[in-house]
Amino acid sequence: AMSVGLLLNDILSCTRNRGVPPANHLGRGKVIDKSACREIIRGADTAEMTGGAVWYDAFALNTERIILELVHLLRHNNGSPINYVRVENIHKEGDGVVLSCVDRETGAGLEFSAGSVINAAGPWCTQFKSLSDDDGKIMKGWSKAVNVVVRPQLFPGYGVALEGKSSFVDQNAVIRKGSRLFFFVPWEGRTMIGTVYIQQESPAPSPSITREELQSILDEINQIYPEGNLSFDDITNYHVGLMPSIPVEN
């Protein structure tokens, strides 16, 4: 089944290397046996392992640069990016939409007309609900997403996915397995591990994480991969952000 899945992935992404420099080409996926898995995931519990799958994906070292590139692309296509502008009101006018805004640097009022408006405010998209006369549904659940960066390079040359020990249900997943996958990814000479999602009741506070929450994540990582033997002092950085999600009971 895994071989078929990898083959379908390669077929559906057959144009993935078009226009891409050869050094950045993505190879074809393959299935590897248990001994090959042991070589990659040294020290992992392989008692119930029968083999593994290797596939290739792109990885962004600096996601902030991607956003900046999108701004440049917008300007290249005659768009007008603006910053420090607050939306005060959104209303329909004829077949279009009108946005009343304020320039937060000068205090000047601005008005924009468009055929439609894309609300790309992520977890803060609900703030526009009271400004708009649109009856469209807006999701009312939030999750804090966390990655931790640790000093040791655990799996040089590979990003490795290992299944967590605790119960977890991803409401957004097509196939729900009941446990979370942890990805261990080489990043700037270290290892980035995640992503962990922690349900949050409101998007109001800026996303942050406590030492206790970080320690809990680290404990589960050590459960999955005891060979890493990570301590709190091994954490050199962490990424935390907020995202919209489906509310989960209990």
Side-chain angles (χ1 to χ4, degrees):
M2 185 62 75
S3 298
V4 173
L6 292 172
L7 177 61
L8 284 173
N9 180 62
D10 287 333
I11 291 172
L12 293 171
S13 62
C14 61
T15 61
R16 62 188 178 276
N17 294 322
R18 186 177 297 169
V20 177
N24 293 337
H25 279 194
L26 300 180
R28 296 178 60 183
K30 61 183 178 181
V31 172
I32 58 176
D33 60 20
K34 186 173 181 176
S35 62
C37 280
R38 283 203 192 103
E39 284 298 312
I40 297 169
I41 317 173
R42 294 180 181 272
D45 181 7
T46 57
E48 298 181 8
M49 188 182 292
T50 58
V54 176
W55 72 94
Y56 298 86
D57 203 349
F59 182 68
L61 291 176
N62 297 290
T63 52
E64 296 83 359
R65 291 180 180 270
I66 294 178
I67 295 181
L68 187 59
E69 184 65 25
L70 289 174
V71 172
H72 286 306
L73 188 62
L74 175 65
R75 288 180 61 87
H76 179 73
N77 288 278
N78 300 317
S80 300
I82 53 175
N83 207 356
Y84 300 106
V85 170
R86 182 177 65 243
V87 178
E88 296 284 346
N89 188 47
I90 306 171
H91 65 274
K92 291 180 181 177
E93 191 172 286
D95 294 330
V97 183
V98 175
L99 282 79
S100 301
C101 309
V102 171
D103 186 322
R104 296 178 65 184
E105 291 189 314
T106 66
L110 302 169
E111 195 166 270
F112 301 96
S113 299
S116 58
V117 174
I118 298 172
N119 183 350
W124 295 278
C125 60
T126 54
Q127 67 183 303
F128 296 106
K129 184 64 177 174
S130 60
L131 304 178
S132 172
D133 56 8
D134 187 1
D135 292 329
K137 293 181 179 179
I138 294 181
M139 192 172 287
K140 295 184 178 179
W142 299 271
S143 287
K144 187 164 55 176
V146 183
N147 294 325
V148 296
V149 179
V150 296
R151 191 171 286 105
Q153 245 193 336
L154 298 177
F155 308 108
Y158 286 90
V160 171
L162 297 175
E163 194 170 68
K165 303 292 185 182
S166 61
S167 176
F168 173 77
V169 177
D170 183 355
Q171 297 292 325
N172 299 292
V174 176
I175 300 175
R176 298 177 185 173
K177 299 182 63 178
S179 58
R180 176 192 288 116
L181 275 181
F182 281 76
F183 285 88
F184 298 70
V185 182
W187 188 74
E188 303 286 17
R190 301 178 182 187
T191 304
M192 181 164 63
I193 309 171
T195 298
V196 175
Y197 300 99
I198 303 169
Q199 191 165 343
Q200 187 163 308
E201 293 183 0
S202 166
S206 296
S208 61
I209 189 166
T210 65
R211 182 186 177 98
E212 289 73 23
E213 288 174 324
L214 283 172
Q215 186 62 57
S216 176
I217 293 169
L218 200 64
D219 291 343
E220 186 163 8
I221 292 168
N222 281 328
Q223 267 192 307
I224 301 165
Y225 189 59
E227 183 75 9
N229 193 29
L230 299 172
S231 69
F232 195 87
D233 289 338
D234 286 319
I235 298 177
T236 61
N237 193 11
Y238 61 84
H239 308 139
V240 57
L242 205 60
M243 58 180 287
S245 67
I246 299 173
V248 181
E249 294 296 328
N250 302 318

